[in-house]
PDB file of all heavy atoms in Angstrom:
ATOM      1  N   ALA A 403      -2.343   4.092  24.447  1.00 97.00           N
ATOM      2  CA  ALA A 403      -1.681   5.171  23.700  1.00 97.00           C
ATOM      3  C   ALA A 403      -2.419   6.498  23.779  1.00 97.00           C
ATOM      4  O   ALA A 403      -1.910   7.520  23.300  1.00 97.00           O
ATOM      5  CB  ALA A 403      -1.531   4.757  22.238  1.00 97.00           C
ATOM      6  N   GLN A 404      -3.611   6.519  24.377  1.00 96.00           N
ATOM      7  CA  GLN A 404      -4.451   7.712  24.316  1.00 96.00           C
ATOM      8  C   GLN A 404      -3.742   8.989  24.750  1.00 96.00           C
ATOM      9  O   GLN A 404      -3.705   9.971  23.998  1.00 96.00           O
ATOM     10  CB  GLN A 404      -5.709   7.509  25.167  1.00 96.00           C
ATOM     11  CG  GLN A 404      -6.708   6.555  24.571  1.00 96.00           C
ATOM     12  CD  GLN A 404      -7.222   7.039  23.237  1.00 96.00           C
ATOM     13  OE1 GLN A 404      -7.778   8.123  23.134  1.00 96.00           O
ATOM     14  NE2 GLN A 404      -6.994   6.255  22.202  1.00 96.00           N
ATOM     15  N   VAL A 405      -3.209   9.009  25.943  1.00 97.00           N
ATOM     16  CA  VAL A 405      -2.619  10.247  26.471  1.00 97.00           C
ATOM     17  C   VAL A 405      -1.382  10.662  25.673  1.00 97.00           C
ATOM     18  O   VAL A 405      -1.298  11.797  25.194  1.00 97.00           O
ATOM     19  CB  VAL A 405      -2.313  10.116  27.975  1.00 97.00           C
ATOM     20  CG1 VAL A 405      -1.515  11.326  28.470  1.00 97.00           C
ATOM     21  CG2 VAL A 405      -3.613   9.978  28.764  1.00 97.00           C
ATOM     22  N   PRO A 406      -0.389   9.776  25.482  1.00 98.00           N
ATOM     23  CA  PRO A 406       0.794  10.211  24.722  1.00 98.00           C
ATOM     24  C   PRO A 406       0.472  10.586  23.278  1.00 98.00           C
ATOM     25  O   PRO A 406       1.062  11.538  22.738  1.00 98.00           O
ATOM     26  CB  PRO A 406       1.733   9.003  24.787  1.00 98.00           C
ATOM     27  CG  PRO A 406       0.898   7.857  25.219  1.00 98.00           C
ATOM     28  CD  PRO A 406      -0.205   8.422  26.046  1.00 98.00           C
ATOM     29  N   TRP A 407      -0.430   9.874  22.635  1.00 98.00           N
ATOM     30  CA  TRP A 407      -0.820  10.169  21.250  1.00 98.00           C
ATOM     31  C   TRP A 407      -1.363  11.595  21.151  1.00 98.00           C
ATOM     32  O   TRP A 407      -0.941  12.383  20.303  1.00 98.00           O
ATOM     33  CB  TRP A 407      -1.882   9.150  20.846  1.00 98.00           C
ATOM     34  CG  TRP A 407      -2.221   9.046  19.386  1.00 98.00           C
ATOM     35  CD1 TRP A 407      -1.565   9.601  18.324  1.00 98.00           C
ATOM     36  CD2 TRP A 407      -3.309   8.301  18.827  1.00 98.00           C
ATOM     37  NE1 TRP A 407      -2.182   9.242  17.149  1.00 98.00           N
ATOM     38  CE2 TRP A 407      -3.247   8.451  17.438  1.00 98.00           C
ATOM     39  CE3 TRP A 407      -4.314   7.520  19.394  1.00 98.00           C
ATOM     40  CZ2 TRP A 407      -4.181   7.845  16.586  1.00 98.00           C
ATOM     41  CZ3 TRP A 407      -5.237   6.905  18.546  1.00 98.00           C
ATOM     42  CH2 TRP A 407      -5.167   7.073  17.162  1.00 98.00           C
ATOM     43  N   ARG A 408      -2.267  11.930  22.054  1.00 98.00           N
ATOM     44  CA  ARG A 408      -2.870  13.268  22.023  1.00 98.00           C
ATOM     45  C   ARG A 408      -1.863  14.344  22.425  1.00 98.00           C
ATOM     46  O   ARG A 408      -1.853  15.450  21.871  1.00 98.00           O
ATOM     47  CB  ARG A 408      -4.101  13.293  22.927  1.00 98.00           C
ATOM     48  CG  ARG A 408      -5.212  12.366  22.451  1.00 98.00           C
ATOM     49  CD  ARG A 408      -6.420  12.338  23.397  1.00 98.00           C
ATOM     50  NE  ARG A 408      -7.319  11.257  23.021  1.00 98.00           N
ATOM     51  CZ  ARG A 408      -8.193  11.314  22.016  1.00 98.00           C
ATOM     52  NH1 ARG A 408      -8.289  12.421  21.296  1.00 98.00           N
ATOM     53  NH2 ARG A 408      -8.972  10.275  21.727  1.00 98.00           N
ATOM     54  N   GLU A 409      -1.003  14.035  23.400  1.00 98.00           N
ATOM     55  CA  GLU A 409      -0.012  15.027  23.827  1.00 98.00           C
ATOM     56  C   GLU A 409       0.990  15.328  22.720  1.00 98.00           C
ATOM     57  O   GLU A 409       1.400  16.480  22.535  1.00 98.00           O
ATOM     58  CB  GLU A 409       0.707  14.544  25.089  1.00 98.00           C
ATOM     59  CG  GLU A 409      -0.135  14.634  26.344  1.00 98.00           C
ATOM     60  CD  GLU A 409       0.686  14.413  27.603  1.00 98.00           C
ATOM     61  OE1 GLU A 409       1.924  14.315  27.501  1.00 98.00           O
ATOM     62  OE2 GLU A 409       0.076  14.335  28.690  1.00 98.00           O
ATOM     63  N   VAL A 410       1.385  14.307  21.980  1.00 98.00           N
ATOM     64  CA  VAL A 410       2.337  14.516  20.881  1.00 98.00           C
ATOM     65  C   VAL A 410       1.735  15.440  19.826  1.00 98.00           C
ATOM     66  O   VAL A 410       2.388  16.384  19.347  1.00 98.00           O
ATOM     67  CB  VAL A 410       2.742  13.167  20.245  1.00 98.00           C
ATOM     68  CG1 VAL A 410       3.385  13.373  18.878  1.00 98.00           C
ATOM     69  CG2 VAL A 410       3.709  12.437  21.171  1.00 98.00           C
ATOM     70  N   ILE A 411       0.485  15.202  19.455  1.00 98.00           N
ATOM     71  CA  ILE A 411      -0.150  16.025  18.426  1.00 98.00           C
ATOM     72  C   ILE A 411      -0.379  17.444  18.940  1.00 98.00           C
ATOM     73  O   ILE A 411      -0.185  18.423  18.200  1.00 98.00           O
ATOM     74  CB  ILE A 411      -1.461  15.358  17.953  1.00 98.00           C
ATOM     75  CG1 ILE A 411      -1.119  14.059  17.210  1.00 98.00           C
ATOM     76  CG2 ILE A 411      -2.269  16.290  17.052  1.00 98.00           C
ATOM     77  CD1 ILE A 411      -2.303  13.184  16.876  1.00 98.00           C
ATOM     78  N   ALA A 412      -0.748  17.575  20.214  1.00 97.00           N
ATOM     79  CA  ALA A 412      -0.914  18.912  20.795  1.00 97.00           C
ATOM     80  C   ALA A 412       0.419  19.656  20.823  1.00 97.00           C
ATOM     81  O   ALA A 412       0.494  20.850  20.497  1.00 97.00           O
ATOM     82  CB  ALA A 412      -1.495  18.799  22.202  1.00 97.00           C
ATOM     83  N   THR A 413       1.480  18.953  21.201  1.00 97.00           N
ATOM     84  CA  THR A 413       2.815  19.565  21.216  1.00 97.00           C
ATOM     85  C   THR A 413       3.230  19.994  19.813  1.00 97.00           C
ATOM     86  O   THR A 413       3.781  21.083  19.624  1.00 97.00           O
ATOM     87  CB  THR A 413       3.848  18.580  21.796  1.00 97.00           C
ATOM     88  OG1 THR A 413       3.493  18.262  23.141  1.00 97.00           O
ATOM     89  CG2 THR A 413       5.254  19.170  21.754  1.00 97.00           C
ATOM     90  N   ALA A 414       2.966  19.140  18.829  1.00 97.00           N
ATOM     91  CA  ALA A 414       3.295  19.487  17.445  1.00 97.00           C
ATOM     92  C   ALA A 414       2.570  20.757  17.015  1.00 97.00           C
ATOM     93  O   ALA A 414       3.151  21.632  16.355  1.00 97.00           O
ATOM     94  CB  ALA A 414       2.924  18.330  16.520  1.00 97.00           C
ATOM     95  N   ALA A 415       1.284  20.896  17.398  1.00 97.00           N
ATOM     96  CA  ALA A 415       0.520  22.095  17.044  1.00 97.00           C
ATOM     97  C   ALA A 415       1.097  23.334  17.723  1.00 97.00           C
ATOM     98  O   ALA A 415       1.238  24.395  17.095  1.00 97.00           O
ATOM     99  CB  ALA A 415      -0.943  21.913  17.437  1.00 97.00           C
ATOM    100  N   ARG A 416       1.450  23.208  18.986  1.00 96.00           N
ATOM    101  CA  ARG A 416       2.030  24.356  19.698  1.00 96.00           C
ATOM    102  C   ARG A 416       3.381  24.749  19.124  1.00 96.00           C
ATOM    103  O   ARG A 416       3.718  25.934  19.058  1.00 96.00           O
ATOM    104  CB  ARG A 416       2.163  24.033  21.189  1.00 96.00           C
ATOM    105  CG  ARG A 416       0.838  23.982  21.937  1.00 96.00           C
ATOM    106  CD  ARG A 416       1.062  23.993  23.445  1.00 96.00           C
ATOM    107  NE  ARG A 416       1.744  22.788  23.890  1.00 96.00           N
ATOM    108  CZ  ARG A 416       1.129  21.691  24.327  1.00 96.00           C
ATOM    109  NH1 ARG A 416      -0.204  21.648  24.347  1.00 96.00           N
ATOM    110  NH2 ARG A 416       1.813  20.641  24.734  1.00 96.00           N
ATOM    111  N   ARG A 417       4.145  23.751  18.694  1.00 96.00           N
ATOM    112  CA  ARG A 417       5.489  24.030  18.175  1.00 96.00           C
ATOM    113  C   ARG A 417       5.490  24.365  16.684  1.00 96.00           C
ATOM    114  O   ARG A 417       6.522  24.778  16.144  1.00 96.00           O
ATOM    115  CB  ARG A 417       6.393  22.810  18.417  1.00 96.00           C
ATOM    116  CG  ARG A 417       6.625  22.488  19.883  1.00 96.00           C
ATOM    117  CD  ARG A 417       7.511  23.523  20.566  1.00 96.00           C
ATOM    118  NE  ARG A 417       8.864  23.492  20.067  1.00 96.00           N
ATOM    119  CZ  ARG A 417       9.909  22.950  20.712  1.00 96.00           C
ATOM    120  NH1 ARG A 417       9.713  22.365  21.882  1.00 96.00           N
ATOM    121  NH2 ARG A 417      11.101  22.990  20.194  1.00 96.00           N
ATOM    122  N   GLY A 418       4.379  24.155  16.012  1.00 96.00           N
ATOM    123  CA  GLY A 418       4.321  24.454  14.580  1.00 96.00           C
ATOM    124  C   GLY A 418       4.983  23.404  13.718  1.00 96.00           C
ATOM    125  O   GLY A 418       5.463  23.703  12.617  1.00 96.00           O
ATOM    126  N   VAL A 419       5.009  22.150  14.194  1.00 97.00           N
ATOM    127  CA  VAL A 419       5.589  21.047  13.436  1.00 97.00           C
ATOM    128  C   VAL A 419       4.447  20.313  12.725  1.00 97.00           C
ATOM    129  O   VAL A 419       3.535  19.821  13.393  1.00 97.00           O
ATOM    130  CB  VAL A 419       6.367  20.078  14.339  1.00 97.00           C
ATOM    131  CG1 VAL A 419       6.936  18.918  13.522  1.00 97.00           C
ATOM    132  CG2 VAL A 419       7.482  20.818  15.080  1.00 97.00           C
ATOM    133  N   PRO A 420       4.461  20.203  11.408  1.00 97.00           N
ATOM    134  CA  PRO A 420       3.348  19.564  10.700  1.00 97.00           C
ATOM    135  C   PRO A 420       3.310  18.062  10.934  1.00 97.00           C
ATOM    136  O   PRO A 420       4.305  17.367  10.749  1.00 97.00           O
ATOM    137  CB  PRO A 420       3.628  19.889   9.223  1.00 97.00           C
ATOM    138  CG  PRO A 420       5.119  20.085   9.151  1.00 97.00           C
ATOM    139  CD  PRO A 420       5.502  20.701  10.469  1.00 97.00           C
ATOM    140  N   VAL A 421       2.144  17.567  11.326  1.00 98.00           N
ATOM    141  CA  VAL A 421       1.941  16.126  11.509  1.00 98.00           C
ATOM    142  C   VAL A 421       0.597  15.723  10.877  1.00 98.00           C
ATOM    143  O   VAL A 421      -0.315  15.259  11.565  1.00 98.00           O
ATOM    144  CB  VAL A 421       1.999  15.711  13.005  1.00 98.00           C
ATOM    145  CG1 VAL A 421       3.429  15.739  13.521  1.00 98.00           C
ATOM    146  CG2 VAL A 421       1.106  16.604  13.859  1.00 98.00           C
ATOM    147  N   PRO A 422       0.471  15.894   9.567  1.00 98.00           N
ATOM    148  CA  PRO A 422      -0.833  15.635   8.934  1.00 98.00           C
ATOM    149  C   PRO A 422      -1.320  14.201   9.077  1.00 98.00           C
ATOM    150  O   PRO A 422      -2.512  13.973   9.285  1.00 98.00           O
ATOM    151  CB  PRO A 422      -0.589  15.999   7.464  1.00 98.00           C
ATOM    152  CG  PRO A 422       0.901  15.931   7.284  1.00 98.00           C
ATOM    153  CD  PRO A 422       1.461  16.364   8.592  1.00 98.00           C
ATOM    154  N   ALA A 423      -0.427  13.223   8.986  1.00 98.00           N
ATOM    155  CA  ALA A 423      -0.861  11.825   9.074  1.00 98.00           C
ATOM    156  C   ALA A 423      -1.170  11.435  10.519  1.00 98.00           C
ATOM    157  O   ALA A 423      -2.151  10.728  10.775  1.00 98.00           O
ATOM    158  CB  ALA A 423       0.198  10.900   8.478  1.00 98.00           C
ATOM    159  N   PHE A 424      -0.340  11.864  11.480  1.00 98.00           N
ATOM    160  CA  PHE A 424      -0.655  11.623  12.890  1.00 98.00           C
ATOM    161  C   PHE A 424      -2.033  12.195  13.220  1.00 98.00           C
ATOM    162  O   PHE A 424      -2.857  11.545  13.864  1.00 98.00           O
ATOM    163  CB  PHE A 424       0.390  12.311  13.793  1.00 98.00           C
ATOM    164  CG  PHE A 424       1.610  11.494  14.108  1.00 98.00           C
ATOM    165  CD1 PHE A 424       2.020  10.465  13.287  1.00 98.00           C
ATOM    166  CD2 PHE A 424       2.370  11.774  15.235  1.00 98.00           C
ATOM    167  CE1 PHE A 424       3.160   9.717  13.571  1.00 98.00           C
ATOM    168  CE2 PHE A 424       3.505  11.039  15.538  1.00 98.00           C
ATOM    169  CZ  PHE A 424       3.896  10.007  14.705  1.00 98.00           C
ATOM    170  N   SER A 425      -2.261  13.448  12.802  1.00 98.00           N
ATOM    171  CA  SER A 425      -3.515  14.134  13.127  1.00 98.00           C
ATOM    172  C   SER A 425      -4.707  13.458  12.458  1.00 98.00           C
ATOM    173  O   SER A 425      -5.768  13.301  13.078  1.00 98.00           O
ATOM    174  CB  SER A 425      -3.433  15.605  12.688  1.00 98.00           C
ATOM    175  OG  SER A 425      -2.369  16.264  13.333  1.00 98.00           O
ATOM    176  N   ALA A 426      -4.538  13.054  11.204  1.00 98.00           N
ATOM    177  CA  ALA A 426      -5.628  12.393  10.480  1.00 98.00           C
ATOM    178  C   ALA A 426      -5.986  11.064  11.133  1.00 98.00           C
ATOM    179  O   ALA A 426      -7.166  10.703  11.222  1.00 98.00           O
ATOM    180  CB  ALA A 426      -5.236  12.183   9.016  1.00 98.00           C
ATOM    181  N   ALA A 427      -4.972  10.331  11.571  1.00 98.00           N
ATOM    182  CA  ALA A 427      -5.230   9.035  12.216  1.00 98.00           C
ATOM    183  C   ALA A 427      -6.025   9.220  13.506  1.00 98.00           C
ATOM    184  O   ALA A 427      -6.994   8.499  13.768  1.00 98.00           O
ATOM    185  CB  ALA A 427      -3.914   8.315  12.497  1.00 98.00           C
ATOM    186  N   LEU A 428      -5.635  10.209  14.318  1.00 98.00           N
ATOM    187  CA  LEU A 428      -6.349  10.444  15.576  1.00 98.00           C
ATOM    188  C   LEU A 428      -7.771  10.944  15.311  1.00 98.00           C
ATOM    189  O   LEU A 428      -8.724  10.519  15.981  1.00 98.00           O
ATOM    190  CB  LEU A 428      -5.587  11.450  16.442  1.00 98.00           C
ATOM    191  CG  LEU A 428      -6.249  11.799  17.787  1.00 98.00           C
ATOM    192  CD1 LEU A 428      -6.432  10.550  18.644  1.00 98.00           C
ATOM    193  CD2 LEU A 428      -5.429  12.855  18.525  1.00 98.00           C
ATOM    194  N   SER A 429      -7.943  11.834  14.340  1.00 98.00           N
ATOM    195  CA  SER A 429      -9.280  12.352  14.020  1.00 98.00           C
ATOM    196  C   SER A 429     -10.190  11.239  13.520  1.00 98.00           C
ATOM    197  O   SER A 429     -11.383  11.209  13.847  1.00 98.00           O
ATOM    198  CB  SER A 429      -9.186  13.471  12.976  1.00 98.00           C
ATOM    199  OG  SER A 429      -8.550  14.605  13.517  1.00 98.00           O
TER     200      SER A 429
END
Side-chain angles (χ1 to χ4, degrees):
Q404 288 299 302
V405 172
W407 193 11
R408 296 177 191 281
E409 286 191 6
V410 163
I411 293 171
T413 299
R416 288 194 295 267
R417 296 289 292 256
V419 179
V421 286
F424 272 24
S425 301
L428 179 59
S429 292

